Amino acid sequence: MISLKIKIFILSCSVLFPLTILWGQTSQMPSGVSFQKKILLDRYVSEGASIGDIDNDGHSDIIAGPLWWQGPNFKVAYAYGPVNYFPITGPGLEGYATNFFTFPSLIDGNRWIDILQIGLPGTDSRWIKDPGKKSFPVSKPVPEPQYRKAVVNVCHESPVLVNVVGDEKKELLAFSEGRLMLGIPHKRNKEGWQVFPISEENQNRFPVYSHGLGVGDINGDGLKDVLEKSGWWEQPVHWDGITPWSYHPYPFSEGKGGAQMFVYDVDGDGYNDVVTAIDGHGYGLSWYEQIDDKGEIGFSEHKVMTDKSEDNPFGVSFGQLHAMASTDIDNDGILDIVTGKCYYAHNGRDPGAEDPAVLYWFKTRRHADGSAELVPYKIDDNSGVGRQISVGDLNGDGKTDIVTSNKKGVFAFIQK
């Protein structure tokens, strides 16, 4: 048994295989999915990574903070702004990068990708026009780009840029100035973004460092709703941009809340369910089956992981699930979940802080009796996640790949 572990460890240094046998377990079926790990950077530059064609050459690139790696080989890095490397620990906020999220998007409507930057919760967001036109080699001093105003006071630790209301542009979903809101680029690009509140203002209800936020059609009316750790907000038909959305309380997390939340039909019964981490600085992953509760929408919790490995059928338990993504990893037509441990999310003060910085994907497996489960497959044990993890086809082979950035560095996982 010892020699088998050594052999797997040696192989994992260059090619990462799916976890077909979890230690102490033999009941898990092979996934048929494997990844090759690329270490793009071994220093702390950002809490998140994203994917977009920055240089408009038809190939996807990888972005982390002010850096981007040119696809499809990702061997050359460029910078569109000054590059700072941060310590992984420190008093107060010193042990945190000032870059948390980068969202590549066509903000101004031309054919070049722009980048929306979001820093520490509570700071103002900003965007950079056409960074692929103005990038520089990392080896040389890089000037400040022209930053343009976006949404001020962006709170919450899981903001998302997504098309919520169904128009042509994506909106920034976050908390701002005590409200749950959507931020939309102004028609005059040099002005700050327009803010459309979803909720009434309540500073206690929407604190700066909040966790657990997502988008999806909960009630099946074809409109995307917004959910956070304590309930969901129903999008009105023909919303006027002023009227607050109807709030439906439900305790998806009674703790801190987790990360990005996802809405899809886990068990295949035709009704959308919810998948969420329970505590981004602790433990817990669950999916909530949508049920009829006396004529109203209700949910039934199915625990996937807790702080005890014996609570998972495959013996898996890890904490600090501070970033999540949903995608069809194995191309079976059903969405899966990608997440991992956020390395030193609170500078090493969280429970399990010294455990391996793992990265997993959870296969959505439906059974003939109508039940379902999220089956864990380990991708890596020395990278983990930050606050933003992104998925997409990096090399055009039709398979989903993964990029992540945190205090360990910047990584790409190319599906074989």
Side-chain angles (χ1 to χ4, degrees), residues 264-266 327-336 364 366:
Y264 69 97
D265 187 0
V266 175
T327 185
D328 183 3
I329 287 287
D330 53 358
N331 282 336
D332 66 351
I334 303 172
L335 290 174
D336 308 300
T364 302
R366 296 171 177 169

Side-chain angles (χ1 to χ4, degrees), residues 287-303:
W287 73 274
Y288 289 82
E289 178 184 0
Q290 186 175 152
I291 60 173
D292 183 283
D293 183 11
K294 299 178 182 179
E296 301 291 333
I297 292 176
F299 298 92
S300 175
E301 181 181 11
H302 298 266
K303 292 183 178 180

Side-chain angles (χ1 to χ4, degrees), residues 114-347:
D114 311 301
I115 292 180
L116 174 67
Q117 277 190 355
I118 297 176
L120 286 159
T123 60
D124 297 345
S125 61
R126 56 193 185 180
W127 66 280
I128 299 93
K129 175 179 169 61
D130 307 339
K133 288 183 176 181
K134 308 171 186 177
S135 292
F136 303 86
V138 179
S139 59
K140 297 182 179 181
V142 182
E144 291 277 1
Q146 180 185 357
Y147 295 110
R148 298 170 185 252
K149 296 179 181 179
V151 176
V152 302
N153 186 235
V154 178
C155 304
H156 206 284
E157 296 196 31
S158 305
V160 60
L161 188 69
V162 63
N163 194 329
V164 179
V165 299
D167 58 3
E168 295 181 356
K169 288 191 175 182
K170 295 179 179 179
E171 301 89 32
L172 175 64
L173 171 65
F175 297 172
S176 177
E177 300 183 321
R179 302 165 295 177
L180 178 61
M181 63 89 214
L182 297 176
I184 301 176
H186 202 282
K187 291 181 179 180
R188 293 183 292 274
N189 290 323
K190 292 184 179 181
E191 298 186 18
W193 287 20
Q194 296 174 282
V195 171
F196 296 89
I198 289 175
S199 71
E200 301 283 357
E201 182 178 348
N202 186 328
Q203 297 287 347
N204 295 326
R205 176 72 177 76
F206 304 106
V208 173
Y209 295 98
S210 300
H211 299 74
L213 190 64
V215 174
D217 183 5
I218 295 288
N219 57 359
D221 64 354
L223 301 174
K224 292 179 181 177
D225 308 303
V226 170
L227 60 157
E228 42 102 7
K229 75 181 187 70
S230 59
W232 62 282
W233 303 78
E234 181 179 352
Q235 181 173 168
V237 179
H238 307 304
W239 183 42
D240 58 10
I242 300 174
T243 305
W245 295 14
S246 297
Y247 174 61
H248 304 271
Y250 185 84
F252 293 111
S253 169
E254 295 181 351
K256 291 185 178 71
Q260 295 80 11
M261 301 171 69
F262 297 98
V263 177
Y264 69 97
D265 187 0
V266 175
D267 54 5
D269 66 354
Y271 297 94
N272 280 336
D273 311 301
V274 174
V275 181
T276 182
I278 304 303
D279 187 341
H281 296 283
Y283 292 88
L285 174 66
S286 294
W287 73 274
Y288 289 82
E289 178 184 0
Q290 186 175 152
I291 60 173
D292 183 283
D293 183 11
K294 299 178 182 179
E296 301 291 333
I297 292 176
F299 298 92
S300 175
E301 181 181 11
H302 298 266
K303 292 183 178 180
V304 180
M305 286 195 309
T306 70
D307 61 344
K308 299 179 179 62
S309 60
E310 56 266 29
D311 290 340
N312 179 270
F314 307 100
V316 173
S317 175
F318 60 89
Q320 299 177 67
L321 284 68
H322 212 307
M324 294 177 62
S326 179
T327 185
D328 183 3
I329 287 287
D330 53 358
N331 282 336
D332 66 351
I334 303 172
L335 290 174
D336 308 300
I337 295 294
V338 182
T339 188
K341 172 188 164 69
C342 185
Y343 179 64
Y344 266 40
H346 272 165
N347 293 332

